[in-house]
Amino acid sequence: MPKFSLEKIVNSNRENVFDIFSNFENYQRIVPQHYPSVRVRSMRGDVSVVEEHLILGNMELIIMAKHVSQKPILHEIIVIGGDAKGSKIKQEFIELENGTKVLVDVDLKFKCKMKISVMFGKNNFKQSYDDVLDDFAKLSEN
């Protein structure tokens, strides 16, 4: 299944970049083209469980995700249920002199019927996820 790493340089301070990238409560409002629906199920300290409807390329995924934050350094998303159960996304935020480097490791896993469409489909998940990150980066820079 798709496993890849991405890197972004964002022209904004680390706190701001982290706040935008990890603001899952507002994904539906700030990036509705990627997250048409988000419902927070529980929040305890730095760990939250969120029901998300994610559009990645031409695939629609309904997932239950656990978001774990270590502000302003790390934001991890572990998919605990739904179409991509077992997937993990790790976002690391590194402070630069005049911006922030965002390192992203993505390990996508799909259920049986989704695996078939992934294998035979024309999905470029790396490009699709890169587009999502570009939108977060633009929001961070404004």
Side-chain angles (χ1 to χ4, degrees):
M1 290 287 93
K3 199 173 193 172
F4 53 88
S5 294
L6 297 163
E7 187 178 302
K8 288 270 172 241
I9 302 292
V10 184
N11 297 317
S12 186
N13 69 59
R14 181 165 72 169
E15 294 271 334
N16 186 44
V17 175
F18 179 89
D19 287 345
I20 297 286
F21 276 70
S22 66
N23 189 358
F24 56 84
E25 295 166 81
N26 289 307
Y27 283 178
Q28 185 176 353
R29 187 179 57 76
I30 63 175
V31 285
Q33 66 275 32
H34 305 298
Y35 290 89
S37 165
V38 174
R39 266 178 66 200
V40 177
R41 304 303 293 189
S42 82
M43 294 177 90
R44 285 189 184 86
D46 295 335
V47 179
S48 301
V49 175
V50 185
E51 198 177 285
E52 302 173 10
H53 182 172
L54 168 63
I55 295 174
L56 203 53
N58 60 2
M59 285 184 81
E60 281 187 50
L61 304 171
I62 309 287
I63 60 173
M64 187 69 74
K66 180 165 80 171
H67 289 257
V68 182
S69 296
Q70 292 173 26
K71 185 175 182 160
I73 299 160
L74 192 64
H75 176 227
E76 290 183 289
I77 303 153
I78 300 112
V79 181
I80 56 175
D83 296 327
K85 185 177 180 179
S87 296
K88 290 185 174 107
I89 300 168
K90 177 181 165 190
Q91 301 172 337
E92 197 175 342
F93 303 86
I94 299 161
E95 200 162 3
L96 301 174
E97 197 174 303
N98 53 4
T100 305
K101 182 189 285 189
V102 183
L103 300 174
V104 183
D105 291 319
V106 180
D107 183 6
L108 295 175
K109 303 199 183 319
F110 297 104
K111 287 185 168 179
C112 289
K113 68 176 185 200
M114 292 236 140
K115 273 186 190 172
I116 293 164
S117 69
V118 167
M119 288 190 311
F120 298 107
K122 302 250 185 290
N123 272 306
N124 181 342
F125 291 103
K126 187 172 183 176
Q127 183 57 55
S128 298
Y129 201 76
D130 197 43
D131 294 343
V132 174
L133 294 178
D134 281 343
D135 288 341
F136 281 121
K138 283 178 200 146
L139 285 165
S140 300
E141 292 174 343
N142 288 336

